[in-house]
Amino acid sequence: MTPAETTTGSNTPPSCVNPSTLAQAGACVGKRVGVSLLRFPASDPRYLQTFNREFDSFTPENDTKWDTAQPDRGNWNHQPGEELLAMVSKPVSIKGHTLVWHNQLPDYVNGINDPGQLRQMMRDHIREMITHYQGRMFAWDVVNEVVNEDGSRRNSVFQRVLGDGYVAEAFQMARDVGADIELYYNDFNIETDSEKGQAAYDLVSDLASRGLVDGVGFQLHIESNLYPGYFSPNAFRNWIRMYDALGLTVNISEMDVRIPSTSLQDLEIQRDIYYDFVRVCVEEPACDAITIWGITDNFSWQSNDDPLLYRENYQAKPAYLGVMDALTDPL
Ligand code: XIL
């Protein structure tokens, strides 16, 4: 027996003895590993080559958001989303992102004052998006980023006009479409031991008690300066277990790790942070997927802080090895 067979058992498929890509390694421990995708970087063939080689799932980074998909009331623009989906030729899991959010929301929505009108708009948007992508997206982030750092509700047109109940209303509208998809609440900093973490948990547990939600996305937009400290793998693990106890699935939905420089030291800290958080997901059965928010640093929404797994030239960074090791170290 080779050492690998001793540790992983003799039924281990060959690709799990020494996996050579993140998706292979993830499949061996039952986790999807993906990224967010944009359209414009695909003009460089290395973008999709890297995606196709390493990942088995994705989230549209912008192309299925409200301002893109319904730029004017009732005027549906699914072309960007369709083009994005068409870029990927192999079968992958796709999570839709995002239906009700305060950002990337057109002015015609922000200007509504009448609750009835806003409800109708929400219902129409949710129904159209879910229906349009039915059979292709296995899940949607139904409501995104509702809670402030102090645990209060974030100001938005939905909050102002409809009050606290709008979150449950949105999930109910998504359920009412009747599609066989998973419904997620998605937010950042909710993995921390904080008022925000608690408020998100309270919100989601109320939804769960009514059967309206299937899972929680932990964005994990991490700053290395706040680690260790505010960002803590142990706090993340505790929340995963709390959500698991509600019967929910969780995932890492938008991970990136901002670093102050690309010194070797900072790159190694970044690698360790990727390792520590991905490792928690690997160790916790309720966590079923890891999505990194982009492929190369230069196309990241935080491109100044080099937060991703690949350099501009598609060379893997130490961070890549952090994720790989987290997926492959013996459990
Ligand atoms: C970001 C995209 O990465 C950017 O390209 C865009 O300009 C703004 O939105 N939380 C989310 C994501 O849920 O949709 C955001 O994505 C990042 C923060």
Side-chain angles (χ1 to χ4, degrees), residues 299-327:
F299 294 131
S300 162
W301 73 308
Q302 306 288 353
S303 58
N304 290 336
D305 298 323
D306 305 283
L308 299 176
L309 306 187
Y310 291 89
R311 296 177 208 278
E312 178 169 3
N313 65 5
Y314 290 88
Q315 241 191 358
K317 295 162 61 187
Y320 173 95
L321 293 177
V323 176
M324 184 56 113
D325 289 347
L327 294 167

PDB file of all heavy atoms in Angstrom, residues 299-327:
ATOM      1  N   PHE A 299      -8.543  41.661 -12.000  1.00  0.00           N
ATOM      2  CA  PHE A 299      -9.978  41.774 -12.284  1.00  0.00           C
ATOM      3  C   PHE A 299     -10.826  41.695 -11.017  1.00  0.00           C
ATOM      4  O   PHE A 299     -12.045  41.562 -11.102  1.00  0.00           O
ATOM      5  CB  PHE A 299     -10.428  40.709 -13.282  1.00  0.00           C
ATOM      6  CG  PHE A 299      -9.844  40.879 -14.653  1.00  0.00           C
ATOM      7  CD1 PHE A 299      -9.252  39.803 -15.305  1.00  0.00           C
ATOM      8  CD2 PHE A 299      -9.876  42.106 -15.298  1.00  0.00           C
ATOM      9  CE1 PHE A 299      -8.713  39.955 -16.575  1.00  0.00           C
ATOM     10  CE2 PHE A 299      -9.331  42.268 -16.562  1.00  0.00           C
ATOM     11  CZ  PHE A 299      -8.742  41.186 -17.203  1.00  0.00           C
ATOM     12  N   SER A 300     -10.180  41.748  -9.872  1.00  0.00           N
ATOM     13  CA  SER A 300     -10.944  41.737  -8.622  1.00  0.00           C
ATOM     14  C   SER A 300     -11.605  43.093  -8.398  1.00  0.00           C
ATOM     15  O   SER A 300     -11.062  44.127  -8.798  1.00  0.00           O
ATOM     16  CB  SER A 300     -10.010  41.450  -7.450  1.00  0.00           C
ATOM     17  OG  SER A 300     -10.623  41.830  -6.222  1.00  0.00           O
ATOM     18  N   TRP A 301     -12.759  43.096  -7.701  1.00  0.00           N
ATOM     19  CA  TRP A 301     -13.383  44.386  -7.318  1.00  0.00           C
ATOM     20  C   TRP A 301     -12.502  45.121  -6.313  1.00  0.00           C
ATOM     21  O   TRP A 301     -12.696  46.303  -6.085  1.00  0.00           O
ATOM     22  CB  TRP A 301     -14.795  44.151  -6.766  1.00  0.00           C
ATOM     23  CG  TRP A 301     -14.867  43.534  -5.404  1.00  0.00           C
ATOM     24  CD1 TRP A 301     -14.245  42.389  -4.982  1.00  0.00           C
ATOM     25  CD2 TRP A 301     -15.611  44.013  -4.279  1.00  0.00           C
ATOM     26  NE1 TRP A 301     -14.559  42.130  -3.675  1.00  0.00           N
ATOM     27  CE2 TRP A 301     -15.398  43.101  -3.214  1.00  0.00           C
ATOM     28  CE3 TRP A 301     -16.440  45.105  -4.061  1.00  0.00           C
ATOM     29  CZ2 TRP A 301     -15.988  43.267  -1.957  1.00  0.00           C
ATOM     30  CZ3 TRP A 301     -17.018  45.265  -2.813  1.00  0.00           C
ATOM     31  CH2 TRP A 301     -16.794  44.356  -1.779  1.00  0.00           C
ATOM     32  N   GLN A 302     -11.539  44.411  -5.697  1.00  0.00           N
ATOM     33  CA  GLN A 302     -10.582  45.028  -4.770  1.00  0.00           C
ATOM     34  C   GLN A 302      -9.185  44.868  -5.349  1.00  0.00           C
ATOM     35  O   GLN A 302      -8.261  44.407  -4.669  1.00  0.00           O
ATOM     36  CB  GLN A 302     -10.649  44.337  -3.401  1.00  0.00           C
ATOM     37  CG  GLN A 302     -12.037  44.285  -2.788  1.00  0.00           C
ATOM     38  CD  GLN A 302     -12.518  45.641  -2.303  1.00  0.00           C
ATOM     39  OE1 GLN A 302     -11.757  46.601  -2.315  1.00  0.00           O
ATOM     40  NE2 GLN A 302     -13.766  45.724  -1.903  1.00  0.00           N
ATOM     41  N   SER A 303      -9.042  45.240  -6.616  1.00  0.00           N
ATOM     42  CA  SER A 303      -7.793  44.908  -7.317  1.00  0.00           C
ATOM     43  C   SER A 303      -6.558  45.554  -6.676  1.00  0.00           C
ATOM     44  O   SER A 303      -5.454  45.040  -6.809  1.00  0.00           O
ATOM     45  CB  SER A 303      -7.891  45.279  -8.790  1.00  0.00           C
ATOM     46  OG  SER A 303      -8.183  46.640  -8.902  1.00  0.00           O
ATOM     47  N   ASN A 304      -6.744  46.664  -5.949  1.00  0.00           N
ATOM     48  CA  ASN A 304      -5.576  47.290  -5.310  1.00  0.00           C
ATOM     49  C   ASN A 304      -5.009  46.448  -4.175  1.00  0.00           C
ATOM     50  O   ASN A 304      -3.874  46.657  -3.751  1.00  0.00           O
ATOM     51  CB  ASN A 304      -5.935  48.662  -4.723  1.00  0.00           C
ATOM     52  CG  ASN A 304      -6.200  49.658  -5.819  1.00  0.00           C
ATOM     53  OD1 ASN A 304      -5.702  49.490  -6.938  1.00  0.00           O
ATOM     54  ND2 ASN A 304      -6.995  50.666  -5.522  1.00  0.00           N
ATOM     55  N   ASP A 305      -5.799  45.537  -3.671  1.00  0.00           N
ATOM     56  CA  ASP A 305      -5.387  44.785  -2.476  1.00  0.00           C
ATOM     57  C   ASP A 305      -5.112  43.314  -2.770  1.00  0.00           C
ATOM     58  O   ASP A 305      -5.077  42.492  -1.852  1.00  0.00           O
ATOM     59  CB  ASP A 305      -6.465  44.904  -1.394  1.00  0.00           C
ATOM     60  CG  ASP A 305      -6.647  46.358  -0.961  1.00  0.00           C
ATOM     61  OD1 ASP A 305      -5.645  47.082  -0.904  1.00  0.00           O
ATOM     62  OD2 ASP A 305      -7.791  46.762  -0.714  1.00  0.00           O
ATOM     63  N   ASP A 306      -4.932  42.980  -4.039  1.00  0.00           N
ATOM     64  CA  ASP A 306      -4.440  41.652  -4.461  1.00  0.00           C
ATOM     65  C   ASP A 306      -5.081  40.486  -3.699  1.00  0.00           C
ATOM     66  O   ASP A 306      -4.374  39.668  -3.114  1.00  0.00           O
ATOM     67  CB  ASP A 306      -2.910  41.608  -4.283  1.00  0.00           C
ATOM     68  CG  ASP A 306      -2.238  42.750  -5.024  1.00  0.00           C
ATOM     69  OD1 ASP A 306      -2.109  42.664  -6.254  1.00  0.00           O
ATOM     70  OD2 ASP A 306      -1.884  43.762  -4.361  1.00  0.00           O
ATOM     71  N   PRO A 307      -6.421  40.404  -3.728  1.00  0.00           N
ATOM     72  CA  PRO A 307      -7.062  39.474  -2.782  1.00  0.00           C
ATOM     73  C   PRO A 307      -7.304  38.048  -3.280  1.00  0.00           C
ATOM     74  O   PRO A 307      -7.830  37.232  -2.527  1.00  0.00           O
ATOM     75  CB  PRO A 307      -8.413  40.157  -2.533  1.00  0.00           C
ATOM     76  CG  PRO A 307      -8.725  40.831  -3.820  1.00  0.00           C
ATOM     77  CD  PRO A 307      -7.415  41.245  -4.422  1.00  0.00           C
ATOM     78  N   LEU A 308      -6.922  37.730  -4.516  1.00  0.00           N
ATOM     79  CA  LEU A 308      -7.390  36.446  -5.084  1.00  0.00           C
ATOM     80  C   LEU A 308      -6.283  35.392  -5.168  1.00  0.00           C
ATOM     81  O   LEU A 308      -5.209  35.561  -4.603  1.00  0.00           O
ATOM     82  CB  LEU A 308      -8.034  36.718  -6.452  1.00  0.00           C
ATOM     83  CG  LEU A 308      -9.270  37.646  -6.391  1.00  0.00           C
ATOM     84  CD1 LEU A 308      -9.807  37.961  -7.777  1.00  0.00           C
ATOM     85  CD2 LEU A 308     -10.373  37.006  -5.526  1.00  0.00           C
ATOM     86  N   LEU A 309      -6.568  34.308  -5.890  1.00  0.00           N
ATOM     87  CA  LEU A 309      -5.647  33.152  -5.918  1.00  0.00           C
ATOM     88  C   LEU A 309      -4.607  33.232  -7.028  1.00  0.00           C
ATOM     89  O   LEU A 309      -3.609  32.505  -6.988  1.00  0.00           O
ATOM     90  CB  LEU A 309      -6.430  31.842  -6.098  1.00  0.00           C
ATOM     91  CG  LEU A 309      -7.560  31.565  -5.113  1.00  0.00           C
ATOM     92  CD1 LEU A 309      -8.100  30.145  -5.346  1.00  0.00           C
ATOM     93  CD2 LEU A 309      -7.095  31.717  -3.677  1.00  0.00           C
ATOM     94  N   TYR A 310      -4.858  34.103  -8.031  1.00  0.00           N
ATOM     95  CA  TYR A 310      -3.965  34.171  -9.191  1.00  0.00           C
ATOM     96  C   TYR A 310      -3.500  35.607  -9.433  1.00  0.00           C
ATOM     97  O   TYR A 310      -4.266  36.554  -9.272  1.00  0.00           O
ATOM     98  CB  TYR A 310      -4.683  33.698 -10.468  1.00  0.00           C
ATOM     99  CG  TYR A 310      -4.985  32.236 -10.476  1.00  0.00           C
ATOM    100  CD1 TYR A 310      -6.179  31.763  -9.949  1.00  0.00           C
ATOM    101  CD2 TYR A 310      -4.079  31.322 -11.013  1.00  0.00           C
ATOM    102  CE1 TYR A 310      -6.470  30.405  -9.949  1.00  0.00           C
ATOM    103  CE2 TYR A 310      -4.357  29.967 -11.017  1.00  0.00           C
ATOM    104  CZ  TYR A 310      -5.557  29.524 -10.481  1.00  0.00           C
ATOM    105  OH  TYR A 310      -5.833  28.185 -10.483  1.00  0.00           O
ATOM    106  N   ARG A 311      -2.265  35.692  -9.884  1.00  0.00           N
ATOM    107  CA  ARG A 311      -1.741  36.973 -10.344  1.00  0.00           C
ATOM    108  C   ARG A 311      -2.348  37.319 -11.704  1.00  0.00           C
ATOM    109  O   ARG A 311      -2.929  36.469 -12.372  1.00  0.00           O
ATOM    110  CB  ARG A 311      -0.226  36.886 -10.547  1.00  0.00           C
ATOM    111  CG  ARG A 311       0.565  36.617  -9.305  1.00  0.00           C
ATOM    112  CD  ARG A 311       2.045  36.493  -9.692  1.00  0.00           C
ATOM    113  NE  ARG A 311       2.739  35.624  -8.753  1.00  0.00           N
ATOM    114  CZ  ARG A 311       3.194  36.012  -7.568  1.00  0.00           C
ATOM    115  NH1 ARG A 311       3.059  37.262  -7.190  1.00  0.00           N
ATOM    116  NH2 ARG A 311       3.793  35.159  -6.774  1.00  0.00           N
ATOM    117  N   GLU A 312      -2.075  38.541 -12.126  1.00  0.00           N
ATOM    118  CA  GLU A 312      -2.559  39.020 -13.430  1.00  0.00           C
ATOM    119  C   GLU A 312      -2.125  38.081 -14.563  1.00  0.00           C
ATOM    120  O   GLU A 312      -2.836  37.912 -15.554  1.00  0.00           O
ATOM    121  CB  GLU A 312      -1.999  40.432 -13.662  1.00  0.00           C
ATOM    122  CG  GLU A 312      -2.367  41.033 -14.986  1.00  0.00           C
ATOM    123  CD  GLU A 312      -2.032  42.522 -15.056  1.00  0.00           C
ATOM    124  OE1 GLU A 312      -1.455  43.056 -14.083  1.00  0.00           O
ATOM    125  OE2 GLU A 312      -2.355  43.131 -16.089  1.00  0.00           O
ATOM    126  N   ASN A 313      -0.946  37.469 -14.433  1.00  0.00           N
ATOM    127  CA  ASN A 313      -0.435  36.578 -15.495  1.00  0.00           C
ATOM    128  C   ASN A 313      -0.899  35.129 -15.336  1.00  0.00           C
ATOM    129  O   ASN A 313      -0.350  34.231 -15.954  1.00  0.00           O
ATOM    130  CB  ASN A 313       1.096  36.648 -15.544  1.00  0.00           C
ATOM    131  CG  ASN A 313       1.722  36.111 -14.261  1.00  0.00           C
ATOM    132  OD1 ASN A 313       1.011  35.612 -13.383  1.00  0.00           O
ATOM    133  ND2 ASN A 313       3.033  36.211 -14.151  1.00  0.00           N
ATOM    134  N   TYR A 314      -1.907  34.921 -14.494  1.00  0.00           N
ATOM    135  CA  TYR A 314      -2.508  33.599 -14.263  1.00  0.00           C
ATOM    136  C   TYR A 314      -1.573  32.612 -13.557  1.00  0.00           C
ATOM    137  O   TYR A 314      -1.794  31.410 -13.589  1.00  0.00           O
ATOM    138  CB  TYR A 314      -3.075  32.994 -15.563  1.00  0.00           C
ATOM    139  CG  TYR A 314      -4.296  33.770 -16.003  1.00  0.00           C
ATOM    140  CD1 TYR A 314      -4.179  34.888 -16.831  1.00  0.00           C
ATOM    141  CD2 TYR A 314      -5.563  33.437 -15.538  1.00  0.00           C
ATOM    142  CE1 TYR A 314      -5.289  35.639 -17.181  1.00  0.00           C
ATOM    143  CE2 TYR A 314      -6.679  34.171 -15.894  1.00  0.00           C
ATOM    144  CZ  TYR A 314      -6.524  35.273 -16.717  1.00  0.00           C
ATOM    145  OH  TYR A 314      -7.637  36.003 -17.049  1.00  0.00           O
ATOM    146  N   GLN A 315      -0.535  33.142 -12.935  1.00  0.00           N
ATOM    147  CA  GLN A 315       0.302  32.299 -12.080  1.00  0.00           C
ATOM    148  C   GLN A 315      -0.396  32.131 -10.733  1.00  0.00           C
ATOM    149  O   GLN A 315      -0.875  33.117 -10.167  1.00  0.00           O
ATOM    150  CB  GLN A 315       1.620  33.018 -11.839  1.00  0.00           C
ATOM    151  CG  GLN A 315       2.799  32.263 -12.340  1.00  0.00           C
ATOM    152  CD  GLN A 315       4.076  32.909 -11.821  1.00  0.00           C
ATOM    153  OE1 GLN A 315       4.060  33.933 -11.124  1.00  0.00           O
ATOM    154  NE2 GLN A 315       5.170  32.301 -12.181  1.00  0.00           N
ATOM    155  N   ALA A 316      -0.413  30.905 -10.243  1.00  0.00           N
ATOM    156  CA  ALA A 316      -1.020  30.673  -8.932  1.00  0.00           C
ATOM    157  C   ALA A 316      -0.164  31.294  -7.835  1.00  0.00           C
ATOM    158  O   ALA A 316       1.060  31.202  -7.865  1.00  0.00           O
ATOM    159  CB  ALA A 316      -1.172  29.177  -8.691  1.00  0.00           C
ATOM    160  N   LYS A 317      -0.839  31.946  -6.880  1.00  0.00           N
ATOM    161  CA  LYS A 317      -0.153  32.562  -5.746  1.00  0.00           C
ATOM    162  C   LYS A 317      -0.078  31.557  -4.587  1.00  0.00           C
ATOM    163  O   LYS A 317      -0.753  30.526  -4.609  1.00  0.00           O
ATOM    164  CB  LYS A 317      -0.946  33.810  -5.311  1.00  0.00           C
ATOM    165  CG  LYS A 317      -0.960  34.906  -6.371  1.00  0.00           C
ATOM    166  CD  LYS A 317      -2.063  35.905  -6.121  1.00  0.00           C
ATOM    167  CE  LYS A 317      -1.932  36.629  -4.781  1.00  0.00           C
ATOM    168  NZ  LYS A 317      -3.113  37.471  -4.516  1.00  0.00           N
ATOM    169  N   PRO A 318       0.673  31.886  -3.540  1.00  0.00           N
ATOM    170  CA  PRO A 318       0.641  31.035  -2.344  1.00  0.00           C
ATOM    171  C   PRO A 318      -0.800  30.782  -1.874  1.00  0.00           C
ATOM    172  O   PRO A 318      -1.110  29.697  -1.369  1.00  0.00           O
ATOM    173  CB  PRO A 318       1.448  31.843  -1.324  1.00  0.00           C
ATOM    174  CG  PRO A 318       2.425  32.619  -2.166  1.00  0.00           C
ATOM    175  CD  PRO A 318       1.672  32.979  -3.422  1.00  0.00           C
ATOM    176  N   ALA A 319      -1.673  31.773  -2.054  1.00  0.00           N
ATOM    177  CA  ALA A 319      -3.076  31.612  -1.649  1.00  0.00           C
ATOM    178  C   ALA A 319      -3.717  30.381  -2.299  1.00  0.00           C
ATOM    179  O   ALA A 319      -4.545  29.692  -1.685  1.00  0.00           O
ATOM    180  CB  ALA A 319      -3.864  32.862  -2.016  1.00  0.00           C
ATOM    181  N   TYR A 320      -3.346  30.125  -3.544  1.00  0.00           N
ATOM    182  CA  TYR A 320      -3.877  28.935  -4.230  1.00  0.00           C
ATOM    183  C   TYR A 320      -3.523  27.683  -3.437  1.00  0.00           C
ATOM    184  O   TYR A 320      -4.360  26.794  -3.212  1.00  0.00           O
ATOM    185  CB  TYR A 320      -3.304  28.851  -5.647  1.00  0.00           C
ATOM    186  CG  TYR A 320      -3.662  27.573  -6.384  1.00  0.00           C
ATOM    187  CD1 TYR A 320      -4.752  27.521  -7.242  1.00  0.00           C
ATOM    188  CD2 TYR A 320      -2.902  26.409  -6.208  1.00  0.00           C
ATOM    189  CE1 TYR A 320      -5.083  26.349  -7.906  1.00  0.00           C
ATOM    190  CE2 TYR A 320      -3.228  25.233  -6.863  1.00  0.00           C
ATOM    191  CZ  TYR A 320      -4.319  25.213  -7.715  1.00  0.00           C
ATOM    192  OH  TYR A 320      -4.649  24.047  -8.358  1.00  0.00           O
ATOM    193  N   LEU A 321      -2.259  27.615  -2.997  1.00  0.00           N
ATOM    194  CA  LEU A 321      -1.817  26.440  -2.239  1.00  0.00           C
ATOM    195  C   LEU A 321      -2.515  26.363  -0.890  1.00  0.00           C
ATOM    196  O   LEU A 321      -2.774  25.270  -0.374  1.00  0.00           O
ATOM    197  CB  LEU A 321      -0.302  26.475  -2.045  1.00  0.00           C
ATOM    198  CG  LEU A 321       0.503  26.315  -3.341  1.00  0.00           C
ATOM    199  CD1 LEU A 321       1.994  26.440  -3.054  1.00  0.00           C
ATOM    200  CD2 LEU A 321       0.198  24.967  -3.989  1.00  0.00           C
ATOM    201  N   GLY A 322      -2.833  27.527  -0.322  1.00  0.00           N
ATOM    202  CA  GLY A 322      -3.591  27.520   0.931  1.00  0.00           C
ATOM    203  C   GLY A 322      -4.933  26.816   0.750  1.00  0.00           C
ATOM    204  O   GLY A 322      -5.336  25.993   1.576  1.00  0.00           O
ATOM    205  N   VAL A 323      -5.621  27.139  -0.359  1.00  0.00           N
ATOM    206  CA  VAL A 323      -6.918  26.496  -0.617  1.00  0.00           C
ATOM    207  C   VAL A 323      -6.701  25.007  -0.917  1.00  0.00           C
ATOM    208  O   VAL A 323      -7.411  24.142  -0.384  1.00  0.00           O
ATOM    209  CB  VAL A 323      -7.646  27.191  -1.785  1.00  0.00           C
ATOM    210  CG1 VAL A 323      -8.938  26.460  -2.126  1.00  0.00           C
ATOM    211  CG2 VAL A 323      -7.931  28.655  -1.437  1.00  0.00           C
ATOM    212  N   MET A 324      -5.712  24.714  -1.751  1.00  0.00           N
ATOM    213  CA  MET A 324      -5.452  23.309  -2.104  1.00  0.00           C
ATOM    214  C   MET A 324      -5.138  22.481  -0.857  1.00  0.00           C
ATOM    215  O   MET A 324      -5.697  21.401  -0.661  1.00  0.00           O
ATOM    216  CB  MET A 324      -4.297  23.253  -3.117  1.00  0.00           C
ATOM    217  CG  MET A 324      -3.994  21.875  -3.640  1.00  0.00           C
ATOM    218  SD  MET A 324      -5.439  21.081  -4.398  1.00  0.00           S
ATOM    219  CE  MET A 324      -4.928  21.006  -6.107  1.00  0.00           C
ATOM    220  N   ASP A 325      -4.271  23.000  -0.005  1.00  0.00           N
ATOM    221  CA  ASP A 325      -3.909  22.247   1.206  1.00  0.00           C
ATOM    222  C   ASP A 325      -5.123  22.060   2.118  1.00  0.00           C
ATOM    223  O   ASP A 325      -5.298  21.001   2.727  1.00  0.00           O
ATOM    224  CB  ASP A 325      -2.797  22.973   1.982  1.00  0.00           C
ATOM    225  CG  ASP A 325      -1.454  22.905   1.251  1.00  0.00           C
ATOM    226  OD1 ASP A 325      -1.326  22.108   0.307  1.00  0.00           O
ATOM    227  OD2 ASP A 325      -0.538  23.670   1.632  1.00  0.00           O
ATOM    228  N   ALA A 326      -5.942  23.095   2.221  1.00  0.00           N
ATOM    229  CA  ALA A 326      -7.124  22.985   3.075  1.00  0.00           C
ATOM    230  C   ALA A 326      -8.055  21.876   2.570  1.00  0.00           C
ATOM    231  O   ALA A 326      -8.707  21.190   3.350  1.00  0.00           O
ATOM    232  CB  ALA A 326      -7.867  24.321   3.117  1.00  0.00           C
ATOM    233  N   LEU A 327      -8.088  21.707   1.232  1.00  0.00           N
ATOM    234  CA  LEU A 327      -8.959  20.678   0.656  1.00  0.00           C
ATOM    235  C   LEU A 327      -8.352  19.285   0.748  1.00  0.00           C
ATOM    236  O   LEU A 327      -9.077  18.296   0.747  1.00  0.00           O
ATOM    237  CB  LEU A 327      -9.246  21.008  -0.826  1.00  0.00           C
ATOM    238  CG  LEU A 327     -10.055  22.267  -1.099  1.00  0.00           C
ATOM    239  CD1 LEU A 327      -9.992  22.639  -2.585  1.00  0.00           C
ATOM    240  CD2 LEU A 327     -11.513  22.066  -0.681  1.00  0.00           C
TER     241      LEU A 327
END
